[in-house]
Amino acid sequence: MIDTTNFKKGLCLVYRDEPCIIVDYTVSTPTARGGNTIFKTKLRNLKTGQLYNDAIRSGEKFGDVDLERHNASYLYSDGSRWYFMDDESFEQFDLGAEDMGGDELYITDGLEGMQAMLIDGIVVSIQLPLTVGLEVVECDPSIKGATAQAQLKPAVCSTGLRVQVPAYVEIGTRIRVDTRDAHFVEREK
């Protein structure tokens, strides 16, 4: 059984009698006496792609999903579908934008560490590595010595992902981005 204290992005659980994955969540603690901690969650149904935005009280328990994970490789995209290969069976499969849920903005050629998530032998989703390397293709120029504090500026990566980056990042720089919340991790070496 999965307790609310174990919630994290990418966790699969049985919600409303359907297999779901946690896309995002926030925790709030009411100040009133006897108030339970509330987990405001965004869950995606792995079979239908439907999104649920629900508040779940702490202490609730959920069942585990019978889920298989296979290493996968990205092959190509035709703009509306993304094609992958299961590295264990060498079978090809594709996912649409509704199945990707925004993860397509992290996928580049040669990306390693992806896993296909299968339920009953059917691929329902893809799990990305924790960080990916992307190239910055658009950002404001940096101004040296403009401030004593660290400043962030918006940047657009080669896949179209928008990220807040430090002022020293320039166009053409390769950066590592966290796939859980799209934040800048470091400059690639």
Side-chain angles (χ1 to χ4, degrees), residues 57-77:
R57 292 186 175 270
S58 67
E60 287 192 37
K61 297 193 182 313
F62 302 91
D64 288 322
V65 175
D66 186 20
L67 189 69
E68 287 182 61
R69 295 177 189 265
H70 293 188
N71 290 333
S73 300
Y74 170 67
L75 298 175
Y76 65 95
S77 170

Side-chain angles (χ1 to χ4, degrees), residues 3-166:
D3 191 283
T4 52
T5 56
N6 299 334
F7 277 12
K8 61 182 178 182
K9 285 180 80 171
L11 179 71
C12 296
L13 51 89
V14 176
Y15 182 73
R16 296 185 182 176
D17 297 325
E18 293 286 335
C20 294
I21 187 168
I22 296 175
V23 177
D24 196 16
Y25 76 98
T26 56
V27 181
S28 65
T29 307
T31 57
R33 282 181 284 149
N36 285 347
T37 302
I38 296 171
F39 293 80
K40 294 179 181 174
T41 59
K42 183 186 278 188
L43 298 134
R44 186 173 40 140
N45 186 317
L46 288 171
K47 289 186 176 177
T48 64
Q50 180 181 3
L51 283 174
Y52 304 117
N53 289 312
D54 288 333
I56 299 172
R57 292 186 175 270
S58 67
E60 287 192 37
K61 297 193 182 313
F62 302 91
D64 288 322
V65 175
D66 186 20
L67 189 69
E68 287 182 61
R69 295 177 189 265
H70 293 188
N71 290 333
S73 300
Y74 170 67
L75 298 175
Y76 65 95
S77 170
D78 63 7
S80 62
R81 303 207 57 86
W82 287 262
Y83 296 85
F84 302 90
M85 181 178 65
D86 185 325
D87 290 345
E88 294 176 24
S89 66
F90 301 106
E91 291 181 10
Q92 293 185 14
F93 61 94
D94 61 296
L95 298 171
E98 66 281 350
D99 301 320
M100 296 296 288
D103 287 348
E104 67 273 7
L105 295 175
Y106 299 100
I107 296 178
T108 58
D109 289 336
L111 179 63
E112 295 180 1
M114 288 187 294
Q115 290 187 325
M117 299 189 317
L118 293 87
I119 296 176
D120 299 328
I122 299 169
V123 176
V124 292
S125 184
I126 197 87
Q127 184 175 21
L128 298 172
L130 289 178
T131 62
V132 295
L134 299 172
E135 183 178 347
V136 174
V137 294
E138 184 180 318
C139 69
D140 295 334
S142 59
I143 303 172
K144 294 186 190 280
T147 181
Q149 295 181 354
Q151 293 287 326
L152 296 177
K153 62 182 181 181
V156 178
C157 296
S158 56
T159 59
L161 180 69
R162 297 184 179 281
V163 182
Q164 292 290 322
V165 297

